[in-house]
Amino acid sequence: MVSGSDARLVGQSYLQNLQVQSLAQHDRMLCFELLECLLDRYSDAVAALGDDLVYGICEAIDGEKDPRCLMLTFHLVEVLAWLFPEPSGPLASFAGDIFEILGCYFPIHFTHQQGDDFDIKRDDLSRALMLAFSSSPLFEPFAIPLLLEKLSSSLPLAKVDSFRYLSHCVLKYGVDRMGKHAKAIWSSLKDAIFTFSLQGNIFSLASDLPDTMGFEENDITKEALICLEKVILQNDGIFLSLIVDDEDVEMILRSVTISNSYNSLSVESKQKLLAFGRIIVVSAKISSSSCDRIFHFLFPRLMDILGLSSSSLSLECIPYGSPVSFGQLNFGAIYLCTELLAACRDLIVGSEDIAPQSVLMQVSWCCLLQRFSGPLTTFLSSSLVTSMKQENCDANIYSGVKGLRTLATFPGWFLPISKSIFENILTVFMSILTAGCEETLLWKLSLKALVQIGTFTEKFHDSERATSYMNIVVGKIVSSISLDDSSMPYSLKLDAIAEIGGSGMHFMLKVIQGLEEAISANFFEASSKGNLKSVEVLIPLLECFSKKVLPWFHKTSLFEDIVFHFVINIWNQMEANTTFNIGIKANELLDVTMMVMRQAVADCSEKNQGLIVQKAYNILSSSASFSLKEPMPLSIPLKTEGLQLTQNLQDFSCRDEWLISLFASVIMALRPQTCLPDVRVVLELFMSVVLKGHVPAAQALGSIINKLPATIDSVEVSRACTLEEAMVIISKMNLWSVNGNSSFRKCNVICKSVENLTDLDISANNNAMVQTNVLVGLAWIGKGLLMRGHEKVKDITMTLLRCLLSTINTELLPIQHGLSGNDSGQDMHPLVMKSAADAFHILMSDSEICLNKRFHATVRPLYKQHFFSIMMPILLSSITGSDSSITRSFLYRAFGHVISNTPLVAVITECKKLIPVLLDSLAVSSVDILDKDLTYSLLLVISGIIMDENGREAVTENAHIIINCLVGLLSYPHMMLVRETAIQCLVAMSGLPHVRIYPMRTQVLRAISKALDDPKRVVRQEAVRCRQAWASMASRSLYF
Amino acid sequence: MVSGLINANPVVYERKERRVRTAPFSADEYAVEPIDQQEIFDHIRDIKDPEHPYSLEELKVVTEDAIEVDDKHSHVRVTFTPTVEHCSMATVIGLCLRVKLMRSLPSRYKVDIRIAPGTHATEAAVNKQLNDKERVAAALENPNLLDMVDECLAPTYA
């Protein structure tokens, strides 16, 4: 514990004995730290030292150069100023001296590199110095002249820093002290803003829908504008008069409004115009009084220039569309006017929280605005309308739209804008929107403006305006859905509708209603009358619904009733319409409808989902073709089912296909908790349809299996069914046999049933097709099981494997012999085997359609890794064990599907064993053009292994075969990505130990020189890099 | 070896914005993209000047317009402009250009390198030297020269 007197003694001795600047850097730093500690902790004690202390510190810090010490010295000055604030104290007498020391450092010139060991940056030093500068008003007589002087420096950094310091000091030094500098400050600000405002492009409208017209602020103007804001905030009277009375401003105002069109302005004038706009915005936004001042100064003059003041006496609105009779389009005036209005609006909107009434009382400018709002609106509207007809420059359009948008978004309680004007503005935008036959800038900006106005009215709960908006914009655009005007492309119209709907809840409700009506009307037309045109309209409508509207609801998660009614509505239509027939494009329409159905159902709650399922089920069961009765004894349906097996999908009537597909879509999207009616019946129904090759049914089966509860608490729902029961049903259906006595029992069943029907003349192909369908069904069921982590998936994969291994299984052949002779039996198998191999793809890959998070699937963590680790040993041993080349090729295929869908981390841990098989699999798949996606995904696995640090060892060991394989893929003709990736892999391979890869060098270079002549540019570029990587590892002659 | 630089204070121009090719992604897998001016320029723009840390593009030694390419007939001609008339580095620059293009283009190409007419004192001699197969091969046997060329080419492989 150090007492106050001790501290004082230390201070005294310090001042008397220490010659700080003659010490080494580290010692100096200790001295400063000591001093800092004294000032911080024992301020009272050391303050008594008075003049001596201040003088001593001056001496100590004079000429300091080390950044670490400087940080301390700047802080010392700051503390000192805090210690002696009185204007006649010790600091006052030394202020000039201290500032002389400090002033040398400004602006901070910092030459240390970034990689230096002490982590002090230029910004830190600069900030510390700024705090020291502003620490005491006593520095004002010295600091402000210095800063103003540095503003005229040619060093950009000095300017930026000066403005930054000025902004900071102004507030600290106070109004009284700053008053006398006002003129000088303003003139420097003016210079900086007008001179440096623009060094890049002037209007960068090329970028997509800019919010502020391309005004690329550089640092100098940015700081200058901040500084302007600060000084006006402090003393608005003096600065605003300076701005208003400035002759230069007057001249600029005259020069930028001298010519009418934007293009005829010189670059310099454009620059001045933008800078002037910025000054207006900044100064008007500060307070309502400053806004008032600026507004009165500028607005009437602008109105004069635009030629509006004469007609301003009459408040009535000239109907829009009348040619511009007022003056001409003076771009400068319009631009300044819109900027000014936007600034006023921002001020009003920002101040709304504080006290609306008080703002209202003291603004006289709003009367002025109110007086001009009518003519101004008309003027801007007609300028936009004329610009629709003739070419106009983007800048004009931009300003016009912005002006109208600003006028329309003045808060209602402030009310300078009357209702009729608001409606006029909306009408203008709407007319632009509906006339817009293509996406022009005007069209895009108008749409955006409408959306913003909508969002604004919604946000401010302005009921009157909301009504206007609803009637004029939403109502009109919604009614245009059904109108068949060709002026606007349909997809564009739908985009606009979705955008506008998104601006507010009520608007969205209205939009939904309109869309629903249109959908159901067209659906009726299309389905009952086979109206081709309706089908064409319906597809984009449904797409819009699923892509724009449903995600919006998904986000807000309210109003699921609306979605529910939409779904029910579709089902009602399906029910009512018994002569359902859609001709051409039916499949496309069905796909879209199923997508919408899935998404909509997925968003519903359990209760509503239950209702939907019940409804769908009832409709389905009333259809004649699906006899949904209580399950019959399981042996009998097989026979009758067998009869139906002969049907193809084509045998379905159009309505039946729609019914079953939509029902399947509903089932796919259900939540796990939703109860299904008659699970058993539904399962059987789906299974019978699966045999006909109906994929959605298979997906629905998988979804059911995935979500069924493992146990049921009680018998509350008599028809409910657990997973176990469902599996029993499925296995009893003999899609496959769980007790694997016969290796190909499942097909046996089908074959047998087919055998009974030989008189129906079934070709072997048909038989193969049925088997293929069964495999697809199995794959989806297996996926459902796999994702929930159920062990039964093993049975399914075993069945799949048996299919793969069965070519040489002579047990099966007799059946085929009996059917259609030796040869056709041989023909049939590859197809079935292929689909068995592809079933692994279904099992492992992520599906967009069902069984994912969006559709509430039960997903066990790491299920892919788990499956991978189980399957790999089996597949590997089967591959080595098989001696038929066909079998092996299909095993490779299955292997490829599994490995390419497994997370890379899992693959890498096993990669030593896997690489050779992986390469073989790649070789097999690269033969057929149809397998190019598989080839690519396998190549990505290889590339992942090569890039990974942990795979390095295995890659080095197998370098030879990997390079051989990659070189082979360099000429893969069917996919550019494969060639590109192969070359990138080769580049990575060149980083391996040279001993391993050098022998392959010539071979690689030869192959690469061919890739230099690849038809695709990207491949050629990669080839150049690769060639260099491999060539430079040894002799550097021109050719290798 | 002359002490000091031949052109001590060259004019440095701004680099051109790298044009991103807007190839439609769904483009035909089998469509052929012929080698064109821009592609050749991309190969050589980053070659470093032998005596300055600037690229040939920055010194305007090569420009896109000075490249003639005929993909069908497998011929390319690059015309470059030395920064000063008596520049003895012209041969080295030419050699760099040739080596870079030989390493980057398919072997079917004939590469023609020449100095822009009227920009160099010994134009004819340099042109002859640069297009003489034997002399180019001989030059590349010289390890010093090869090191120099490789150093100039290094930035192009970045």
Side-chain angles (χ1 to χ4, degrees), chain A residues 929 932 973-977 1009 1012-1013 1015-1018 1020-1021 1024-1025 1027-1028 1036-1039, chain B residues 21 28-36 39 43 99-100 102-106 108 146-147 150 157:
Chain A
I929 175 175
K932 57 181 178 183
H974 309 301
M975 202 176 187
M976 182 192 79
L977 281 173
S1009 70
L1012 284 175
D1013 208 5
K1016 296 289 180 191
R1017 192 165 291 124
V1018 189
R1020 292 196 293 262
Q1021 278 165 359
V1024 171
R1025 275 183 58 216
R1027 195 191 169 284
Q1028 174 64 14
R1036 288 172 302 171
S1037 71
L1038 190 50
Y1039 304 105
Chain B
R21 289 181 190 259
D28 179 14
E29 190 64 54
Y30 302 102
V32 177
E33 295 166 355
I35 295 178
D36 61 6
E39 187 174 337
H43 284 314
V99 171
K100 173 67 189 173
M102 285 171 107
R103 286 180 182 170
S104 314
L105 293 178
R108 64 186 162 93
L146 192 63
D147 275 342
D150 272 333
Y157 296 111

Side-chain angles (χ1 to χ4, degrees), chain A residues 401-696:
Chain A
V401 172
K402 182 170 179 186
L404 285 182
R405 191 185 73 202
T406 316
L407 280 171
T409 48
F410 267 100
W413 51 261
F414 190 71
L415 259 190
I417 310 295
S418 70
K419 188 184 167 197
S420 69
I421 293 174
F422 181 74
E423 291 187 348
N424 271 349
I425 294 173
L426 294 183
T427 320
V428 171
F429 281 139
M430 276 313 288
S431 70
I432 293 170
L433 212 58
T434 46
C437 30
E438 62 201 279
E439 283 194 67
T440 56
L441 179 74
L442 178 61
W443 191 89
K444 279 193 220 164
L445 286 175
S446 304
L447 178 58
K448 206 174 169 212
L450 277 178
V451 171
Q452 279 172 347
I453 296 173
T455 321
F456 188 84
T457 21
E458 180 89 359
K459 193 172 139 204
F460 283 83
H461 308 294
D462 192 332
S463 59
E464 191 188 10
R465 286 192 185 177
T467 327
S468 307
Y469 190 82
M470 187 70 100
N471 292 337
I472 296 176
V473 180
V474 185
K476 198 165 166 195
I477 197 145
V478 164
S479 66
S480 77
I481 305 176
S482 43
L483 281 182
D484 190 34
D485 52 346
S486 52
S487 66
M488 197 170 158
Y490 204 71
S491 59
L492 207 57
K493 203 190 277 179
L494 289 175
D495 281 353
I497 290 173
E499 291 268 328
I500 285 175
S503 65
M505 212 152 58
H506 301 293
F507 309 139
M508 187 51 119
L509 293 184
K510 177 94 177 169
V511 164
I512 291 263
Q513 204 185 340
L515 282 177
E516 266 194 62
E517 276 164 22
I519 289 175
S520 77
N522 279 307
F523 197 75
F524 179 73
E525 280 288 312
S527 58
S528 62
K529 301 184 184 161
N531 190 337
L532 189 61
K533 200 144 186 253
S534 295
V535 177
E536 272 165 9
V537 171
L538 202 50
I539 291 173
L541 263 178
L542 286 169
E543 266 169 3
C544 166
F545 200 80
S546 85
K547 288 200 186 109
K548 305 263 169 67
V549 179
L550 283 176
W552 195 84
F553 276 108
H554 191 67
K555 254 195 318 215
T556 49
S557 76
L558 293 166
F559 317 110
E560 53 119 346
D561 278 353
I562 298 166
V563 181
F564 171 66
H565 284 299
F566 173 78
V567 174
I568 289 293
N569 194 11
I570 292 186
W571 277 106
N572 281 338
Q573 291 228 10
M574 292 300 300
E575 184 176 24
N577 193 348
T578 46
T579 58
F580 194 91
N581 197 11
I582 296 177
I584 312 159
K585 282 200 169 183
N587 284 336
E588 199 183 334
L589 183 58
L590 180 58
D591 285 346
V592 181
T593 319
M594 281 168 62
M595 181 172 70
V596 172
M597 182 62 80
R598 280 199 309 271
Q599 291 182 354
V601 172
D603 284 345
C604 287
S605 68
E606 287 149 40
K607 189 175 129 255
N608 286 343
Q609 283 187 345
L611 295 175
I612 294 171
V613 174
Q614 194 60 51
K615 169 138 194 124
Y617 182 69
N618 292 342
I619 297 170
L620 197 67
S621 49
S622 65
S623 161
S625 1
F626 307 107
S627 50
L628 299 176
K629 290 173 203 122
E630 276 300 296
M632 286 168 278
L634 281 164
S635 51
I636 303 165
L638 266 182
K639 296 274 176 198
T640 50
E641 210 75 50
L643 274 165
Q644 288 177 2
L645 279 182
T646 56
Q647 293 181 348
N648 277 328
L649 258 189
Q650 285 83 11
D651 299 335
F652 272 139
S653 76
C654 183
R655 178 169 191 258
D656 289 340
E657 194 188 340
W658 273 69
L659 278 178
I660 190 79
S661 305
L662 290 183
F663 185 62
S665 315
V666 170
I667 297 283
M668 279 180 230
L670 292 184
R671 292 169 194 274
Q673 297 87 352
T674 311
C675 334
L676 282 172
D678 294 335
V679 184
R680 297 173 186 80
V681 185
V682 172
L683 284 175
E684 275 164 36
L685 168 72
F686 278 141
M687 275 188 288
S688 68
V689 189
V690 163
L691 294 184
K692 293 165 192 162
H694 195 260
V695 179

Side-chain angles (χ1 to χ4, degrees), chain B:
Chain B
M1 193 79 193
V2 199
S3 65
L5 300 171
I6 291 156
N7 182 6
N9 192 13
V11 187
V12 182
Y13 299 88
E14 216 168 291
R15 232 178 262 242
K16 248 193 351 184
E17 194 63 29
R18 235 156 246 262
R19 268 185 289 159
V20 183
R21 289 181 190 259
T22 48
F25 195 71
S26 59
D28 179 14
E29 190 64 54
Y30 302 102
V32 177
E33 295 166 355
I35 295 178
D36 61 6
Q37 252 185 352
Q38 195 192 338
E39 187 174 337
I40 303 276
F41 186 56
D42 282 338
H43 284 314
I44 57 177
R45 64 197 300 176
D46 291 324
I47 297 177
K48 192 183 78 74
D49 184 86
E51 61 171 24
H52 296 290
Y54 300 110
S55 70
L56 294 189
E57 180 189 11
E58 284 170 309
L59 298 174
K60 286 234 169 107
V61 173
V62 289
T63 57
E64 197 171 333
D65 299 330
I67 295 168
E68 299 156 63
V69 59
D70 184 349
D71 193 43
K72 271 206 200 92
H73 297 96
S74 306
H75 178 253
V76 60
R77 167 183 283 176
V78 178
T79 310
F80 70 99
T81 316
T83 49
V84 283
E85 267 198 3
H86 48 274
C87 183
S88 65
M89 287 294 167
T91 43
V92 181
I93 295 176
L95 190 63
C96 288
L97 287 172
R98 172 168 293 277
V99 171
K100 173 67 189 173
L101 288 182
M102 285 171 107
R103 286 180 182 170
S104 314
L105 293 178
S107 50
R108 64 186 162 93
Y109 262 83
K110 171 164 171 29
V111 180
D112 213 354
I113 308 276
R114 58 167 198 171
I115 293 187
T119 57
H120 199 269
T122 54
E123 190 185 316
V126 176
N127 280 345
K128 195 168 178 200
Q129 190 179 356
L130 284 178
N131 292 303
D132 186 329
K133 233 196 288 184
E134 303 291 330
R135 290 176 75 176
V136 168
L140 292 176
E141 294 292 320
N142 179 341
N144 289 333
L145 209 47
L146 192 63
D147 275 342
M148 199 164 174
V149 168
D150 272 333
E151 194 196 322
C152 291
L153 295 189
T156 63
Y157 296 111

